Amino acid sequence: MVDVYVEGNIHGIYFMWIVECKAWNSNVPKEKVLALQSIITDVGADRGFLLSEKGFQSGALRIAEKANITLTSLYDLGQTIQTDSVIGRISWRVEKATLRLRKLKKDNFKNHYIPPMTAIMGELFILQNILGEALDHEYPIQYSHGQFLNSFEEFVKYADDILLRAESWTL
């Protein structure tokens, strides 16, 4: 028996997740991770999550590293989801702004070697390229020669600045 079964489709990719929650007064042992791994295999799930507010024994951590199981707490999972959703919104805005500027370039500056929106398009390109590092929390993130973003908050501020300029860019 599992606590939560999640099944769905994201961008055309089917997924199935199994979630186990342990409200124990002690760290979860490796046997519980192995049991979850067995359930994942039996039902053909893509990923398993084992939640515990108390933590996990070292053996459980070692087993999970080699399996498709995420060991976390409800609080940490919530933080991750919040961070991922912010980065997802930034990614969507980058895509929309880039498409808009490309259309303006095509419609108004077809024969220009360096159209006036080139600089902001370059900044959007850099932002698109560092999204993965932000998603993986790989700080500091270098975005220019000698310039770094040292935290998620700095990354969001940097992204918002570029996106506001790109979204409001006009002829």
Side-chain angles (χ1 to χ4, degrees), residues 122-123 126-127 130 133 140-150 154-155 158 162:
E123 289 183 76
I126 290 168
L127 179 54
I130 64 173
E133 292 174 70
I141 299 171
Q142 185 169 4
Y143 66 94
S144 183
H145 181 70
Q147 295 183 301
F148 296 87
L149 301 168
N150 294 305
E154 284 184 27
F155 170 78
Y158 167 79
I162 292 170

CSV table of all heavy atoms in Angstrom, one decimal, residues 122-123 126-127 130 133 140-150 154-155 158 162:
chain,number,residue,atom,x,y,z
A,122,GLY,N,20.4,39.1,-26.9
A,122,GLY,CA,21.6,38.4,-26.3
A,122,GLY,C,21.5,38.2,-24.8
A,122,GLY,O,21.8,37.1,-24.3
A,123,GLU,N,20.9,39.1,-24.1
A,123,GLU,CA,20.7,38.9,-22.7
A,123,GLU,C,19.7,37.8,-22.4
A,123,GLU,O,19.8,37.1,-21.5
A,123,GLU,CB,20.2,40.2,-22.0
A,123,GLU,CG,21.3,41.3,-22.0
A,123,GLU,CD,20.9,42.5,-21.3
A,123,GLU,OE1,20.8,42.5,-20.0
A,123,GLU,OE2,20.6,43.6,-22.0
A,126,ILE,N,21.5,34.5,-22.8
A,126,ILE,CA,22.3,34.2,-21.6
A,126,ILE,C,21.4,33.7,-20.5
A,126,ILE,O,21.6,32.7,-19.9
A,126,ILE,CB,23.1,35.4,-21.2
A,126,ILE,CG1,24.2,35.7,-22.2
A,126,ILE,CG2,23.7,35.2,-19.8
A,126,ILE,CD1,24.9,37.0,-22.0
A,127,LEU,N,20.2,34.4,-20.3
A,127,LEU,CA,19.3,34.0,-19.3
A,127,LEU,C,18.8,32.6,-19.5
A,127,LEU,O,18.7,31.7,-18.6
A,127,LEU,CB,18.1,35.0,-19.2
A,127,LEU,CG,17.0,34.7,-18.2
A,127,LEU,CD1,17.6,34.5,-16.8
A,127,LEU,CD2,16.0,35.8,-18.2
A,130,ILE,N,21.3,30.0,-18.5
A,130,ILE,CA,21.7,29.7,-17.0
A,130,ILE,C,20.4,29.2,-16.2
A,130,ILE,O,20.6,29.0,-15.1
A,130,ILE,CB,22.3,31.0,-16.4
A,130,ILE,CG1,21.3,32.2,-16.4
A,130,ILE,CG2,23.6,31.4,-17.0
A,130,ILE,CD1,21.7,33.4,-15.6
A,133,GLU,N,21.2,25.9,-14.4
A,133,GLU,CA,22.0,26.1,-13.2
A,133,GLU,C,21.1,26.6,-12.0
A,133,GLU,O,21.3,26.1,-10.9
A,133,GLU,CB,23.1,27.0,-13.5
A,133,GLU,CG,24.2,26.5,-14.4
A,133,GLU,CD,25.2,27.5,-14.8
A,133,GLU,OE1,26.0,27.9,-13.9
A,133,GLU,OE2,25.2,28.1,-15.9
A,140,PRO,N,27.6,29.9,-7.0
A,140,PRO,CA,27.2,31.0,-7.8
A,140,PRO,C,27.2,30.7,-9.3
A,140,PRO,O,27.8,29.8,-9.8
A,140,PRO,CB,28.4,32.0,-7.6
A,140,PRO,CG,29.6,31.1,-7.2
A,140,PRO,CD,28.9,29.9,-6.5
A,141,ILE,N,26.4,31.5,-10.1
A,141,ILE,CA,26.2,31.3,-11.5
A,141,ILE,C,26.8,32.5,-12.2
A,141,ILE,O,26.5,33.6,-11.9
A,141,ILE,CB,24.7,31.3,-11.9
A,141,ILE,CG1,24.0,30.1,-11.2
A,141,ILE,CG2,24.5,31.2,-13.4
A,141,ILE,CD1,22.5,30.1,-11.4
A,142,GLN,N,27.8,32.2,-13.1
A,142,GLN,CA,28.4,33.2,-13.8
A,142,GLN,C,27.6,33.6,-15.0
A,142,GLN,O,27.3,32.7,-15.8
A,142,GLN,CB,29.8,32.8,-14.3
A,142,GLN,CG,30.6,34.0,-14.9
A,142,GLN,CD,32.0,33.6,-15.1
A,142,GLN,OE1,32.5,32.6,-14.8
A,142,GLN,NE2,32.8,34.6,-15.7
A,143,TYR,N,27.2,34.8,-15.2
A,143,TYR,CA,26.4,35.2,-16.3
A,143,TYR,C,27.1,36.2,-17.3
A,143,TYR,O,26.7,36.5,-18.4
A,143,TYR,CB,25.1,35.8,-15.9
A,143,TYR,CG,25.2,37.1,-15.1
A,143,TYR,CD1,25.1,38.3,-15.7
A,143,TYR,CD2,25.4,37.1,-13.7
A,143,TYR,CE1,25.1,39.5,-15.0
A,143,TYR,CE2,25.5,38.3,-13.0
A,143,TYR,CZ,25.4,39.5,-13.7
A,143,TYR,OH,25.4,40.6,-13.0
A,144,SER,N,28.3,36.7,-16.8
A,144,SER,CA,29.1,37.6,-17.6
A,144,SER,C,30.5,37.5,-17.1
A,144,SER,O,30.7,37.0,-16.0
A,144,SER,CB,28.5,39.0,-17.5
A,144,SER,OG,29.3,39.9,-18.4
A,145,HIS,N,31.4,38.1,-17.8
A,145,HIS,CA,32.8,38.1,-17.4
A,145,HIS,C,33.0,38.7,-16.0
A,145,HIS,O,32.7,39.9,-15.8
A,145,HIS,CB,33.7,38.8,-18.4
A,145,HIS,CG,35.2,38.7,-18.0
A,145,HIS,ND1,35.9,37.6,-18.1
A,145,HIS,CD2,36.0,39.7,-17.6
A,145,HIS,CE1,37.1,37.8,-17.7
A,145,HIS,NE2,37.2,39.1,-17.4
A,146,GLY,N,33.3,37.9,-15.0
A,146,GLY,CA,33.5,38.4,-13.7
A,146,GLY,C,32.2,38.7,-12.9
A,146,GLY,O,32.3,39.3,-11.8
A,147,GLN,N,31.1,38.4,-13.5
A,147,GLN,CA,29.8,38.7,-12.8
A,147,GLN,C,29.1,37.4,-12.4
A,147,GLN,O,28.9,36.6,-13.3
A,147,GLN,CB,28.9,39.6,-13.6
A,147,GLN,CG,29.6,41.0,-13.9
A,147,GLN,CD,28.7,41.9,-14.7
A,147,GLN,OE1,28.4,41.6,-15.8
A,147,GLN,NE2,28.3,43.0,-14.1
A,148,PHE,N,28.6,37.4,-11.2
A,148,PHE,CA,28.0,36.2,-10.7
A,148,PHE,C,26.7,36.5,-10.0
A,148,PHE,O,26.5,37.5,-9.4
A,148,PHE,CB,29.0,35.5,-9.6
A,148,PHE,CG,30.2,35.0,-10.2
A,148,PHE,CD1,31.3,35.9,-10.3
A,148,PHE,CD2,30.4,33.7,-10.7
A,148,PHE,CE1,32.5,35.4,-10.9
A,148,PHE,CE2,31.6,33.3,-11.3
A,148,PHE,CZ,32.6,34.1,-11.3
A,149,LEU,N,25.8,35.5,-10.0
A,149,LEU,CA,24.6,35.5,-9.2
A,149,LEU,C,24.8,34.5,-8.1
A,149,LEU,O,25.1,33.3,-8.3
A,149,LEU,CB,23.4,35.1,-10.1
A,149,LEU,CG,23.1,36.0,-11.3
A,149,LEU,CD1,22.2,35.3,-12.2
A,149,LEU,CD2,22.7,37.3,-10.9
A,150,ASN,N,24.7,35.0,-6.8
A,150,ASN,CA,25.1,34.2,-5.7
A,150,ASN,C,24.0,33.5,-5.0
A,150,ASN,O,24.2,32.7,-4.1
A,150,ASN,CB,25.9,35.0,-4.7
A,150,ASN,CG,27.2,35.5,-5.3
A,150,ASN,OD1,28.0,34.6,-5.7
A,150,ASN,ND2,27.4,36.8,-5.3
A,154,GLU,N,19.0,36.6,-6.1
A,154,GLU,CA,19.7,37.4,-7.1
A,154,GLU,C,19.4,37.0,-8.5
A,154,GLU,O,19.2,37.8,-9.4
A,154,GLU,CB,21.2,37.3,-6.9
A,154,GLU,CG,21.7,38.0,-5.7
A,154,GLU,CD,23.3,37.9,-5.6
A,154,GLU,OE1,24.0,37.7,-6.6
A,154,GLU,OE2,23.8,38.1,-4.4
A,155,PHE,N,19.2,35.7,-8.7
A,155,PHE,CA,18.9,35.2,-10.0
A,155,PHE,C,17.5,35.7,-10.5
A,155,PHE,O,17.3,36.2,-11.6
A,155,PHE,CB,18.8,33.6,-10.0
A,155,PHE,CG,18.2,33.1,-11.3
A,155,PHE,CD1,18.9,33.0,-12.5
A,155,PHE,CD2,16.9,32.6,-11.3
A,155,PHE,CE1,18.4,32.5,-13.6
A,155,PHE,CE2,16.3,32.1,-12.4
A,155,PHE,CZ,17.1,32.1,-13.6
A,158,TYR,N,17.7,39.4,-11.3
A,158,TYR,CA,18.4,39.5,-12.6
A,158,TYR,C,17.5,39.2,-13.8
A,158,TYR,O,17.4,39.9,-14.8
A,158,TYR,CB,19.7,38.6,-12.6
A,158,TYR,CG,20.3,38.4,-14.0
A,158,TYR,CD1,21.2,39.3,-14.5
A,158,TYR,CD2,20.1,37.2,-14.6
A,158,TYR,CE1,21.8,39.1,-15.7
A,158,TYR,CE2,20.7,36.9,-15.9
A,158,TYR,CZ,21.5,37.9,-16.4
A,158,TYR,OH,22.1,37.7,-17.6
A,162,ILE,N,15.9,41.7,-16.9
A,162,ILE,CA,16.0,41.5,-18.3
A,162,ILE,C,14.6,41.3,-18.9
A,162,ILE,O,14.4,41.9,-20.0
A,162,ILE,CB,16.9,40.2,-18.5
A,162,ILE,CG1,18.3,40.5,-18.1
A,162,ILE,CG2,16.8,39.7,-20.0
A,162,ILE,CD1,19.2,39.3,-18.1
